[in-house]
Amino acid sequence: MLAETHLFKCLSDNYGVLVHDPESGATASIDAPEAAPVEAALKATGWKLTDILVTHHHGDHTGGIEALKTKYKCRVVAPAKEAAKIPAVDEMVREGDTVKVGTLAANVIETPGHTLGHVVYWFHKDKLAFVGDTLFSIGCGRVIEGDPEMMWSSLKKLRDLPTDTEIFCGHEYTTANIKFAKTIEASNRVLAARDTEAQQELAKGRPTIPVTIGEEKQANPFLRADVPEVAAGIGMAGKPAAQVFAEIRARKNSFK
Ligand SMILES: [Zn+2]
């Protein structure tokens, strides 16, 4: 049986998401921005929390862990490289590890850049990837602890996932990201279509995620730093992709 997901809002613009295994009843919360919305989501679905899979140590992804663990006695899985900064960790994971949620299995992919130990949980059979703050819909996380080269190679790992992989990210930033992306690739038609689609979803009060890797490859400028037209469009024809990525990221940082 395939995994079921339930997406919900947390804090001001974070997303929480539950992954449920219908076969065993196991349910994982991907990160835990705050406890109350996770509990409300459990109530709404009737699912029982068994695991928390943490992507990285930032407070808006870990603030609810302790309260949830106390209440549900769930297992807390976190990246080994930053486990010391995350509360109540039971199990540390590294690149290539497999994490089970009931009968579901996630591959751990290390994606340093936003933080040095950031990991992504890829449920390959279910075609789902929980990417935290590494990749956003039409965007990527700020490069806070790593450097642009590191972030670019992490994003390439995600870009290499099967095109029909559904991506769940940690924030609703899509429309702001699209506004910026248009300054990099004004004539990208897939991007224009995503803009219309995102506006429609938000007007209906619906989230703009998940998105697929295939869609992102065609419209997300941060996954397109090695596309010659993208480099040329920002006056960097022939420059190494990591440098083009760094320039796009720098422009986004100062974009208003
Ligand atoms: Zn973060």
Side-chain angles (χ1 to χ4, degrees), residues 14 55-61 114-115 118 132-134 136 141-142 144 171:
N14 279 74
T55 61
H56 68 295
H57 70 83
H58 286 159
D60 62 330
H61 293 254
H114 177 69
T115 63
H118 195 296
D133 286 355
T134 296
F136 295 128
R142 275 179 189 267
I144 298 172
H171 294 269

Side-chain angles (χ1 to χ4, degrees), residues 70-121:
T70 303
K71 186 160 177 182
Y72 298 95
K73 315 283 177 233
C74 52
R75 173 184 66 150
V76 178
V77 177
K81 287 178 182 164
E82 48 195 57
K85 296 177 183 168
I86 296 167
V89 175
D90 296 302
E91 204 175 305
M92 294 188 283
V93 289
R94 293 178 175 80
E95 175 83 19
D97 285 350
T98 301
V99 180
K100 294 277 227 163
V101 176
T103 64
L104 307 175
N107 293 90
V108 175
I109 305 172
E110 291 183 347
T111 58
H114 177 69
T115 63
L116 288 175
H118 195 296
V119 299
V120 163
Y121 297 94

Side-chain angles (χ1 to χ4, degrees), residues 4 8 14 31 41 52 57 77 81 108 134 140 146 181 186 191 214 251:
E4 294 172 20
F8 51 95
N14 279 74
D31 291 330
I52 300 175
H57 70 83
V77 177
K81 287 178 182 164
V108 175
T134 296
C140 75
L191 184 61
R251 289 189 187 194

Side-chain angles (χ1 to χ4, degrees), residues 196-211:
T196 311
E197 192 189 318
Q199 306 280 2
Q200 284 168 353
E201 290 303 299
L202 292 174
K204 289 177 198 155
R206 294 205 291 243
T208 63
I209 67 162
V211 293

Side-chain angles (χ1 to χ4, degrees), residues 197-246:
E197 192 189 318
Q199 306 280 2
Q200 284 168 353
E201 290 303 299
L202 292 174
K204 289 177 198 155
R206 294 205 291 243
T208 63
I209 67 162
V211 293
T212 66
I213 281 288
E215 292 173 315
E216 287 301 301
K217 275 161 101 161
Q218 295 178 69
N220 186 331
F222 297 100
L223 297 183
R224 296 170 59 78
D226 54 357
V227 173
E229 296 77 45
V230 171
I234 59 168
M236 294 184 73
K239 293 276 195 278
Q243 270 180 41
V244 176
F245 170 79

